[in-house]
Amino acid sequence: MKVSAIVGISLLALTFAVWPHRLLAQDGLGPGRRPPQPKICMNDAELEAEAVVRAGIVLRAYARQCARYGIDGSILPKWGAFDAANAASLQNAVRLRNEAYARNYPDDPYAGQRVIDNTLASRGLGRPSPEECLAAADVVGKLKTWNDFLAHARLTELGQVKTQVKACKPKRGAAP
């Protein structure tokens, strides 16, 4: 048998030996499969801070886009006023979130920014519809207190955050 035939048969055998494994690796989530567990963890306060940051970014993005496309320019000044009135609370949420990412990614100072960029980019906010702007205006119009905003963040973002970031388990012997 010629060397080229042996090599060809060997490559063919190798392809069939490896092929089923590659198929399984590429087939995504099948029946009974679960998405991979998050690799980082945050405590309850950090999870809520992540939700607060995301909610603020989303509302600001809608306010900007609605104004940019001339659909509703009233949302951005209302959001700006709320943001300014609650700057300390928003900054505290950003600080707490940044500390959590620094703990989880000690060698990557931009991990938190990358996570939020990827998360929000996956939503694909482009040109909002008039209905989306109306809904955003309604939400921003109802934000009178920090607790109103916390309720909004918990309702709209916290569930998603908890699916993407696991809760840290308390250390043994630590006070609850």
Side-chain angles (χ1 to χ4, degrees):
M1 194 177 252
K2 291 184 177 181
V3 174
S4 61
I6 294 172
V7 170
I9 292 171
S10 298
L11 288 175
L12 186 61
L14 180 62
T15 300
F16 283 112
V18 173
W19 178 72
H21 301 293
R22 284 202 278 168
L23 179 65
L24 291 176
Q26 295 176 1
D27 67 354
L29 297 179
R33 305 257 328 252
R34 295 180 183 201
Q37 287 293 315
K39 293 180 176 42
I40 66 170
C41 73
M42 292 183 182
N43 64 37
D44 290 341
E46 293 165 341
L47 289 168
E48 185 168 272
E50 176 73 5
V52 163
V53 170
R54 289 183 187 192
I57 290 172
V58 168
L59 285 176
R60 183 182 64 218
Y62 270 103
R64 286 179 175 168
Q65 292 295 81
C66 292
R68 177 179 176 210
Y69 288 107
I71 300 169
D72 187 343
S74 71
I75 307 168
L76 194 53
K78 289 177 187 172
W79 172 253
F82 181 83
D83 188 340
N86 294 280
S89 297
L90 289 165
Q91 289 169 354
N92 185 50
V94 169
R95 180 192 52 74
L96 192 56
R97 174 190 178 279
N98 287 345
E99 289 171 1
Y101 280 107
R103 184 185 69 247
N104 282 286
Y105 297 103
D107 298 329
D108 185 357
Y110 303 107
Q113 186 63 47
R114 194 170 35 263
V115 168
I116 199 76
D117 288 347
N118 291 339
T119 300
L120 297 175
S122 69
R123 295 182 186 191
L125 178 61
R127 183 184 182 115
S129 68
E131 293 80 12
E132 289 174 305
C133 292
L134 184 63
D138 185 52
V139 169
V140 173
K142 291 179 180 175
L143 298 178
K144 305 298 181 203
T145 67
W146 179 250
N147 285 335
D148 294 338
F149 183 68
L150 280 179
H152 170 74
R154 289 171 181 155
L155 179 67
T156 61
E157 299 294 331
L158 191 56
Q160 183 182 41
V161 169
K162 286 183 175 182
T163 63
Q164 295 172 343
V165 180
K166 68 181 176 182
C168 295
K169 294 179 181 171
K171 293 181 182 175
R172 290 184 160 213

